[in-house]
Amino acid sequence: MLTIAVAKGRIFESTLQLLDKTGLGSREDMLSSRRLILNDEAHGIRYLLSKPVDVPTYVQHGAADVGIVGKDVLYEAQADVHELLDLQFGRCKIAVAAPSGTELSTVTRVATKYPRYAREYFRTLGRQIDIIPMHGSVELAPLIGLADCIVDIVETGRTLKENGLVVLAELAQITTRLVANRRSYQLRGADIDALLLRTRTYLEGETVS
Ligand code: PRP
């Protein structure tokens, strides 16, 4: 069986739609179950439903042959995996945001779930900052004086707006990626290529229609 690690969370619904429409997995089954391992005997696929941040780990260590995960998570994890395809969905930006009126040149305390993006961006500006690591609801930090700004995902911009924050700089464009374990790609290249072809065909159809 080919094992695919699927990230639950922000991109879960779009991932299920992709799997459903490519005929690789049943969206209903994945949504209705609490099981974390689902076997699709008909297609010879086993799905691992995982926290996004753990998908690169499963794939790098070969617990999954393939993973579906955001570029943001991949970049932060610095996982040694083979990136196969940009799936185009889950589109968002990594941005620096702060309360309106904040000057980028004055910030020193940065709250984030993305320390690598934050550190590298401020390094390119030649600036030293303190990272305040967070796990969620990052927008809270500058509102209560814990940080001067945040580095976080902006998708619709609604969370920033409703919390009185504005974008000071855009750091990266993010989409969802299909990745593979390097050894699996050598040993099971035919299976993975078949999956890749199916996915690519579906994405091209989406673009055309
Ligand atoms: C992400 C991100 C922002 C929000 C941005 O959080 O951290 O808070 O989505 O989306 P928007 O621009 O469409 O408002 P997520 O929902 O993943 O949850 P979290 O705060 O627990 O990390």
Side-chain angles (χ1 to χ4, degrees):
M1 270 200 162
L2 197 70
T3 301
I4 304 181
V6 171
K8 296 188 88 174
R10 208 171 53 84
I11 61 169
F12 190 49
E13 179 58 38
S14 304
T15 302
L16 295 188
Q17 272 184 33
L18 171 80
L19 295 172
D20 209 35
K21 288 185 181 161
T22 48
L24 289 170
S26 161
R27 179 178 169 278
E28 292 311 317
D29 286 353
M30 294 211 214
L31 279 178
S32 62
S33 175
R34 285 269 174 143
R35 294 181 57 190
L36 301 175
I37 301 178
L38 295 173
N39 290 326
D40 180 349
E41 304 286 347
H43 294 99
I45 296 177
R46 180 168 69 150
Y47 291 99
L48 307 184
L49 306 189
S50 138
K51 288 271 275 186
V53 74
D54 294 329
V55 169
T57 308
Y58 285 125
V59 177
Q60 178 173 339
H61 294 280
D65 301 298
V66 172
I68 299 175
V69 67
K71 180 67 183 178
D72 53 330
V73 175
L74 280 177
Y75 183 80
E76 283 295 324
Q78 291 184 269
D80 182 20
V81 296
H82 186 43
E83 203 173 304
L84 296 171
L85 186 63
D86 183 343
L87 296 171
Q88 309 286 341
F89 61 79
R91 201 170 282 279
C92 58
K93 293 169 191 158
I94 298 279
V96 182
S100 171
T102 306
E103 293 284 341
L104 188 59
S105 58
T106 66
V107 306
T108 57
R109 300 168 306 154
V110 182
T112 190
K113 289 185 284 190
Y114 298 101
R116 186 175 180 214
Y117 278 110
R119 220 173 265 124
E120 297 206 347
Y121 173 69
F122 283 98
R123 187 179 298 140
T124 63
L125 299 182
R127 299 272 311 285
Q128 276 223 316
I129 49 150
D130 291 326
I131 300 278
I132 301 166
M134 311 287 297
H135 297 285
S137 302
V138 180
E139 292 82 359
L140 198 51
L143 301 182
I144 55 166
L146 181 64
D148 305 313
C149 69
I150 62 172
V151 167
D152 199 19
I153 275 180
V154 181
E155 191 171 3
T156 62
R158 187 171 165 201
T159 311
L160 291 185
K161 196 168 178 209
E162 292 194 6
N163 290 288
L165 304 176
V166 295
V167 171
L168 300 185
E170 290 180 2
L171 278 48
Q173 303 282 339
I174 304 297
T175 47
T176 307
R177 307 299 162 98
L178 185 68
V179 297
N181 172 269
R182 293 197 183 277
R183 192 165 160 72
S184 297
Y185 195 55
Q186 285 174 348
L187 297 177
R188 311 201 52 182
D191 291 337
I192 295 174
D193 279 341
L195 173 78
L196 193 55
L197 180 65
R198 229 172 156 128
T199 310
R200 212 176 247 145
T201 306
Y202 165 69
L203 289 178
E204 281 164 9
E206 280 285 281
T207 312
V208 171
S209 60

